[in-house]
Amino acid sequence: MSVILGIDIGGSGIKGAPVDTRTGKLMAERRRIPTPEGAAPDAIRAVVTELVQHFGLDGPVGVTFPGIVQRGHTLSAANVHPDWVGLNADALFTEATGHEVHLINDADAAGLAEARFGAGQGEDGTVLVLTFGTGIGSALIHRGTLIPNTELGHLWLRDKHAETWASDRARERDDLNWKQWSKRACTYLQHLELLFSPDLFIIGGGISKKAEKWQGHLKLDRSRVVPARLLNEAGIIGAAMMAAGTAPDLDAAPSETAPSEDAPKPAKARPARKAPARPRKA
Ligand code: BGC
């Protein structure tokens, strides 16, 4: 089966479309429903079910989630309701929709899609896809193989939490112009370049639509930096690839909805760090 429904859960909208997973093309117009206030599991489950019914496709469904996803469980919730932490969301959606649901982190889905069908097509080395939006998502891909849940938006740059300081939300919150924001993004990318030496950075999320504003300012010594090509379809396409089995199976999930004893443990949020204390004058 190659036409699979992909659903992308985002901070402001939940979007779905059938995808031809051999070509990465959407086979019908995308449908978008605003994300319910608070983004709690029950409310999101209802929207996902509505999208599945709307398209009426047979077969498995791929769904993205903006947090850590391990063996079908959602283990962190930086920008959604805390009730997601520790939930077997894969089983929750599977029971609600009556379809086999495969869950994947949103940036990992976007990364898989960009690497196969977008700006990383044909790239042979290491690709780091970063999505700048409410948060910063990351996907690390080496020769087509994804290392899931890298969560590089949560790195610390001295006393700055990368996502809180350099996301698109931070740009809006701090009223930065594009040059000012690019300076922050460049500091972050330079650090990632030092850690991972990617051949290519792909910059996705909402800002990929405005590449002309930042592209001239985001240059690195060793890695190339390019805007994502699939824009806001990347998550939908990657989710469908995952469910079609054309991406590595990252989510073999137990079937119950409550966290079980052998369910993976939720990630602990790291407390905000204080700025290092200044040495006292003698
Ligand atoms: C989450 C990531 C997610 C990113 C983009 C971060 O806050 O921890 O899992 O990929 O936001 O939505």
Side-chain angles (χ1 to χ4, degrees), residues 1 8 22 43 52 56 59 70 74 91 95 108 140 150 152 161-162 190 193 195 197 211 216 237 241 243 277:
M1 192 176 315
D8 189 20
R22 290 168 312 185
V52 170
Q70 197 174 22
T74 45
E95 275 162 28
D108 282 342
L140 182 61
T150 42
L152 298 175
H161 177 235
Q190 275 164 354
E193 181 182 48
L195 297 181
S197 297
I237 298 169
M241 287 166 67

Side-chain angles (χ1 to χ4, degrees), residues 19-256:
V19 178
D20 184 334
T21 53
R22 290 168 312 185
T23 61
K25 297 271 173 275
L26 301 200
M27 303 306 286
E29 205 183 320
R30 209 170 61 116
R31 185 173 173 88
R32 179 183 185 280
I33 299 178
T35 305
E37 191 66 33
D42 282 350
I44 293 208
R45 175 181 58 182
V47 175
V48 167
T49 307
E50 189 181 330
L51 287 171
V52 170
Q53 285 165 356
H54 169 79
F55 287 104
L57 270 184
D58 286 337
V61 177
V63 177
T64 74
F65 178 75
I68 299 172
V69 176
Q70 197 174 22
R71 284 185 275 137
H73 291 69
T74 45
L75 302 185
S76 70
N79 297 306
V80 286
H81 197 282
D83 280 359
W84 285 98
V85 179
L87 196 71
N88 185 345
D90 199 304
L92 179 87
F93 290 133
T94 295
E95 275 162 28
T97 61
H99 290 248
E100 188 184 306
V101 171
H102 296 258
L103 208 64
I104 179 170
N105 169 265
D106 57 354
D108 282 342
L112 281 176
E114 283 294 339
R116 177 92 47 96
F117 300 117
Q121 210 173 12
E123 184 66 45
D124 192 26
T126 301
V127 179
L128 191 46
V129 181
L130 299 171
T131 62
F132 289 81
T134 314
I136 298 179
S138 60
L140 182 61
I141 294 150
H142 181 63
R143 299 199 165 165
T145 302
L146 170 77
I147 317 249
N149 294 310
T150 42
E151 293 290 325
L152 298 175
H154 297 289
L155 276 185
W156 286 80
L157 306 159
R158 294 181 186 268
D159 59 343
K160 304 269 191 293
H161 177 235
E163 163 172 303
T164 312
W165 183 65
S167 62
D168 196 37
R169 174 155 74 181
R171 181 183 65 80
E172 287 171 0
R173 181 198 61 213
D174 296 347
D175 202 15
L176 302 179
N177 64 33
W178 285 99
K179 199 168 167 197
Q180 291 167 322
W181 173 80
S182 302
K183 212 169 154 211
R184 290 189 185 183
C186 217
T187 303
Y188 175 51
L189 261 59
Q190 275 164 354
H191 190 58
L192 292 172
E193 181 182 48
L194 178 73
L195 297 181
F196 297 99
S197 297
D199 298 281
L200 180 68
F201 277 99
I202 300 179
I203 308 299
I207 63 157
S208 54
K209 280 179 270 176
K210 304 168 195 156
E212 75 288 351
K213 310 252 191 216
W214 50 261
Q215 216 171 356
H217 305 298
L218 272 192
K219 301 255 189 261
L220 295 172
D221 287 343
R222 292 185 290 131
S223 319
R224 284 169 289 133
V225 182
V226 297
R229 240 195 261 150
L230 304 172
L231 307 179
N232 46 18
E233 291 177 0
I236 296 176
I237 298 169
M241 287 166 67
M242 173 79 187
T246 55
D249 190 14
L250 308 167
D251 74 337
S255 58
E256 79 292 349

